[in-house]
Amino acid sequence: MTLASRLSTAANTGQIDDPRDQHRVISSNLALIQVQATVVGLLAAVAALLLGAVSRGELDFAKMELLCASSVITAFLAAFALGILMVCIVIGARKFGVNPDNIATPIAASLGDLITLSILAFISSFFYKHKDSRYLTPLVSIGFMALTPVWVLIAKQNPPTMKILKSGWFPIILAMMISSFGGLILNKTISKEQYKGMAVFTPIICGVGGNLVAIQTSRISTYLHMWSTPGVLPLWMKKFWPNPCSTFCTSEINSMSARVLLFLVIPGHLIFFIIIYMVEGHAVPNSKTFVVFYLLAGLIQVTILLYLAEVMARLMWHQALDPDNHCIPYLTGLGDLLGTGLLALCFLISWLLRSKAELDGISEPVSGPL
């Protein structure tokens, strides 16, 4: 999503109109995400293993090799496939006069999980079938890591990209850690009866929140690039902590965009809920109480994220940092954590109310004759 947002901003500000500049910007950005994907893919695997070791009290080194190799290859291939797709979408949108912020970022957000999980399932299954090949997974991991210097050399063609390569690691790694806590919540709840069906809803609530906040952040970033210079906020955006009403209730363009995105939450989640219910049937909660709490959780999540997008974009821009690179990772990671936490709370409240209703139903016939 950061790539989609960067390319959208570059397209909207005319940085890729010249064919030579276009080739340089695109190739350097694609190389950059390969470096980031390889390193963060490895770190994500290590983080998952450590969290698993803490919760289970043991560390399986055979699983560690398999997970590291699967994670690195998956991150590499998913980043490459999505990167090429984003380039095509941004260039196509630019040619047809459509704002790439409204297309590239949501497609990256929605397809990212699907493509990544599909590749991860295929790669990990392959390695699991060949788990007796002692040196296969270590050699694959080392091979892909060895390509990193090549991508760094390509990324050096573009000074802004090289700047991101030097200073853009902290947001991505911290976002990964924040998101991992959401995974920890899911891991702790998924096997319990009161949270039955939660695994189906988690990608939806996290995906919708991350999708919408990435669109808003990308639009704010483009707006700042067009109307100001890094380090200098426009006069009407001088407040670092704006009134929430000004974020959602004014005629300013970013406020109007936030309202539109907020209005999409309820219809979007209802559509996804209907699809999930049609596919899964009674395997997921379908009471009116649960639906109300689920929609409320989605609304709270997106409201918080959209407000934080406005705040963080202003803070980052004031520090002469690009919101495309320093806001989207934090916000999507926080979206995962908020979404998983609020969803777990929905399931818990729904289960408690259902249990209370069942107890009341049992106690009424017993107490009646008395």
Side-chain angles (χ1 to χ4, degrees):
M1 284 190 287
T2 56
L3 172 70
S5 186
R6 281 199 305 270
L7 291 178
S8 297
T9 300
N12 285 324
T13 53
Q15 295 177 34
I16 60 173
D17 289 345
D18 183 86
R20 287 175 298 179
D21 291 339
Q22 184 182 100
H23 178 268
R24 178 173 49 82
V25 170
I26 289 172
S27 61
S28 61
N29 273 281
L30 288 175
L32 170 65
I33 63 165
Q34 293 307 322
V35 178
Q36 292 176 330
T38 304
V39 175
V40 176
L42 182 63
L43 292 176
V46 172
L49 286 163
L50 291 176
L51 288 171
V54 169
S55 61
R56 290 191 299 269
E58 61 177 356
L59 184 61
D60 189 328
F61 285 97
K63 288 181 180 178
M64 182 173 71
E65 291 178 356
L66 188 150
L67 185 57
C68 287
S70 301
S71 182
V72 168
I73 297 176
T74 298
F76 181 92
L77 295 177
F80 180 77
L82 287 166
I84 295 296
L85 180 63
M86 291 308 101
V87 168
C88 296
I89 290 171
V90 169
I91 292 175
R94 182 68 174 171
K95 286 184 177 179
F96 286 101
V98 179
N99 186 354
D101 283 329
N102 299 330
I103 303 174
T105 308
I107 289 177
S110 55
L111 290 182
D113 287 345
L114 177 63
I115 291 175
T116 304
L117 289 173
S118 301
I119 295 174
L120 180 61
F122 176 78
I123 296 295
S124 57
S125 298
F126 173 81
F127 282 133
Y128 188 77
K129 288 177 184 177
H130 297 84
K131 60 182 178 180
D132 295 330
S133 301
R134 182 68 184 84
Y135 298 104
L136 178 61
T137 50
L139 285 174
V140 168
S141 298
I142 293 169
F144 275 88
M145 293 297 291
L147 290 173
T148 304
V150 177
W151 308 127
V152 171
L153 288 173
I154 298 173
K156 280 185 176 180
Q157 297 176 11
N158 192 27
T161 306
M162 196 59 200
K163 183 181 177 182
I164 299 167
L165 192 59
K166 291 178 179 177
S167 61
W169 291 102
F170 185 75
I172 295 174
I173 294 171
L174 184 58
M176 180 195 71
M177 293 173 64
I178 294 170
S179 185
S180 295
F181 283 106
L184 198 59
I185 294 172
L186 183 62
N187 186 51
K188 290 289 185 182
T189 56
I190 196 171
S191 59
K192 297 179 180 178
E193 180 63 27
Q194 58 263 46
Y195 300 100
K196 184 181 178 183
M198 183 173 165
V200 182
F201 287 98
T202 302
I204 303 298
I205 195 166
C206 295
V208 169
N211 196 326
L212 296 179
V213 76
I215 294 171
Q216 179 69 356
T217 308
S218 184
R219 291 180 65 90
I220 295 172
S221 179
T222 298
Y223 181 84
L224 289 169
H225 277 92
M226 293 180 70
W227 293 100
S228 186
T229 55
V232 180
L233 284 165
L235 185 62
W236 51 94
M237 295 178 72
K238 287 292 183 182
K239 284 185 179 179
F240 292 148
W241 296 90
N243 189 318
C245 291
S246 67
T247 303
F248 297 101
C249 304
T250 68
S251 58
E252 195 263 328
I253 188 168
N254 291 325
S255 179
M256 293 170 64
S257 173
R259 280 201 302 276
V260 170
L261 295 174
L262 198 59
F263 289 150
L264 292 174
V265 175
I266 300 296
H269 275 301
L270 279 174
I271 292 169
F272 286 126
F273 183 88
I274 292 168
I275 293 171
I276 289 171
Y277 182 72
M278 289 172 64
V279 173
E280 295 291 330
H282 294 287
V284 296
N286 59 354
S287 66
K288 292 179 181 178
T289 304
F290 174 77
V291 174
V292 169
F293 278 112
Y294 173 68
L295 295 177
L296 184 62
L299 200 60
I300 292 170
Q301 177 208 30
V302 174
T303 302
I304 292 171
L305 290 174
L306 291 177
Y307 178 72
L308 289 178
E310 184 73 31
V311 172
M312 289 187 68
R314 296 183 185 202
L315 289 171
M316 294 300 171
W317 191 259
H318 180 71
Q319 298 295 323
L321 298 173
D322 191 343
D324 287 331
N325 305 314
H326 292 83
C327 291
I328 291 179
Y330 292 132
L331 291 166
T332 51
L334 186 60
D336 288 347
L337 180 58
L338 270 175
T340 310
L342 289 169
L343 185 62
L345 193 60
C346 285
F347 273 85
L348 180 60
I349 293 173
S350 179
W351 178 78
L352 289 172
L353 292 174
R354 189 168 63 250
S355 300
K356 184 179 182 300
E358 289 173 358
L359 286 173
D360 291 342
I362 293 171
S363 63
E364 281 177 11
V366 174
S367 60
L370 300 176

